[in-house]
Amino acid sequence: MDDTRVWAFEESLWTGDADQYHTLIDDECVMVLPEQPFVMTGAQAIEAVADTPRWSEVTFSEQQIMRPQEGLIAIAYKAEASREGATGYTAYCTTTMRRLEHEEWRVVQHQQTLAPVAGGA
């Protein structure tokens, strides 16, 4: 998967619905998010997305892509997301994807760490 497609794939997970998650999140995925229950499986994440308003837009910066072996991509980035009725959300994230077959990829790991609040202690 080329770099442009990697970032489009990742963006779709921020803005897509539960069907998008169901398609792109592996059954064996593990996630760590900054809200309870904190550690989730792929199935739990799909269920959580079904009940959560999606972000209307997200921008990435500080982007890194690593390809440690054929069929495995690990990315790290800063995400800034927004939606109507919500204050901005900023987090540092990692995602690991594995290829199942030609052009078919699934997320096997995702983590978000909230960015420090400017001026905070």
Side-chain angles (χ1 to χ4, degrees), residues 14 16-18 35 44-55 83:
W14 284 80
D17 60 14
E35 56 188 54
Q44 289 170 319
I46 292 165
E47 185 177 317
V49 166
D51 297 327
T52 303
R54 304 309 300 142
W55 299 107
R83 66 175 166 244

Side-chain angles (χ1 to χ4, degrees), residues 2 20 22 25-26 29 31 41 45 60 62 66 78 81-82 86 91 99-100 112 114 120:
D2 68 28
Q20 183 75 357
H22 185 71
I25 303 296
D26 197 272
C29 183
M31 292 191 180
T41 65
F60 301 139
E62 302 181 37
M66 302 298 165
K78 179 180 180 182
S82 62
R99 185 175 60 216
L100 300 180
Q112 296 179 18
L114 288 177

Side-chain angles (χ1 to χ4, degrees), residues 62-81:
E62 302 181 37
Q63 296 159 277
Q64 299 287 322
I65 297 179
M66 302 298 165
R67 292 176 171 86
Q69 70 181 48
E70 181 68 28
L72 191 64
I73 297 173
I75 63 174
Y77 59 95
K78 179 180 180 182
E80 296 179 82

Side-chain angles (χ1 to χ4, degrees), residues 1 3 6-7 10 63-69 71-77 93-98 105 108-109:
M1 182 170 4
D3 290 4
V6 167
W7 296 114
E10 190 71 6
Q63 296 159 277
Q64 299 287 322
I65 297 179
M66 302 298 165
R67 292 176 171 86
Q69 70 181 48
L72 191 64
I73 297 173
I75 63 174
Y77 59 95
C93 308
T94 62
T95 299
T96 304
M97 304 163 222
R98 71 177 173 132
W105 293 82
V108 294
Q109 175 277 328

